[in-house]
Structure formats: C-alpha cells, structure tokens
C-alpha cells in the first residue's frame, strides 16, 4: 500500500480551470485491476484539484469529444502572430463569454477563430466539452488567464 509507484497517463486535458489526466483503454482491457487503479488515482489526485478519467472507445463514440477535437485542431494548426493571438484573448477577456461566431468560427482561416482555437488548446480559453462546437457554442477565458497580465 505504501509502495512508491509511478503512472504516466495517456494525456492531460485542461478544460476551463480543471486539469484532467486521461487514461484511454479498450473496453475489453478494463478489468478489476484497471478499475482499482482508476479509483486510487481519482482519490489521490483529487487532493491536488486534479481529475482522473478512464475513457474507452465506447465513451468516445457516444460523445462529441473527437468531433470537437478535430474542429479545434483544424483551426489551431494555422499560424498567426502573437498580436493576433493576444487580440483574441483581449476580446474574450473584455466580456464574460462570447459565441464562437463572434470570432468568425465558420469563416475559413479567420485569424480570430485561429486565436480562439489556440487559446482553447493552451488552456487559456474554455468551451463546454459536452456540446458539439458550432458558431453558437460559447467560449470564455479561464480563471488563470483573467489575470495573466497579457502573457499567453
């Protein structure tokens, strides 16, 4: 029980103000050992304000996670300069939240939409991960970015 062990999750997700470690497994590989480790990781990480999730292909197929990830990555892969990125952040900081349409989300190569996608990827902006992204999906600045003093 008191033995030191290390565990490296498959990836880390920053959504809003929460950090989540994510372990991805095929459903057929989820056994009692995996479930026990998941319970332990949730308990231990919760002390630090970090979530831990076990995700299977069944969950990914049901949700909008993959579709949203593709939509964000398609925009975030384009290059913009720091001024354009900061312009998106400052516009978002000036209000509580805005729909993605305010950043030209459906406009091909909109620098504001690219900026928002990059801010989401870096954890400076957040979306509702359970809703399929569209022009009318809302985006907001995460708490840590409210006081970042312009640093992204």
């Amino acid at each position: 029980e008191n033995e030191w062990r290390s565990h490296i999750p498959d990836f880390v997700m920053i959504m809003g103000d929460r950090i989540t470690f994510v372990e991805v497994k095929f459903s057929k590989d989820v056994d009692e050992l995996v479930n026990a480790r998941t319970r332990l990781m949730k308990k231990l990480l919760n002390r630090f304000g970090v979530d831990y999730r076990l995700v299977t292909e069944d969950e990914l197929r049901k949700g909008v996670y993959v579709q949203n990830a593709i939509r964000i990555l398609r925009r975030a892969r384009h290059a913009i300069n720091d001024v354009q990125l900061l312009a998106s952040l400052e516009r978002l900081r000036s209000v509580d939240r805005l729909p993605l349409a305010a950043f030209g989300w459906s406009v091909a190569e909109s620098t504001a939409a690219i900026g928002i996608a990059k801010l989401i990827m870096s954890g400076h902006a957040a979306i509702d991960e359970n809703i399929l992204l569209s022009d009318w999906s809302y985006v907001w600045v995460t708490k840590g970015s409210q006081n970042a003093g312009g640093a992204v």
Side-chain angles (χ1 to χ4, degrees), residues 15 18-20 27 41 43 61 67 69 78 96 98 101 104 107 111 124 128 132 140 142 151:
M15 293 298 295
R18 294 296 293 183
I19 296 173
T20 304
S27 295
M41 295 299 290
K43 177 182 172 185
R61 287 185 189 131
Q67 292 174 28
H78 296 286
D96 182 43
L98 282 172
V107 177
T111 57
H124 292 284
D128 184 338
L132 185 64
W140 57 91
T142 58

Side-chain angles (χ1 to χ4, degrees), residues 12 14 29 38 44 66 77 79 100 105 109-110:
V12 176
I14 302 171
D29 296 332
T38 299
L44 295 174
V66 174
R77 69 180 178 192
L100 290 172
W105 190 255
E109 298 186 37
S110 161

Side-chain angles (χ1 to χ4, degrees), residues 73-87:
L73 288 170
R74 281 186 180 150
R75 284 168 181 79
R77 69 180 178 192
H78 296 286
I80 60 171
N81 63 45
D82 289 344
V83 172
Q84 292 166 319
L85 180 63
L86 286 173

Side-chain angles (χ1 to χ4, degrees), residues 118-138:
K118 289 180 179 294
L119 292 170
I120 292 168
M121 295 275 302
S122 66
H124 292 284
I127 55 165
D128 184 338
E129 65 194 60
N130 298 305
I131 297 173
L132 185 64
L133 288 181
S134 72
D135 273 344
W136 305 113
S137 302
Y138 281 88

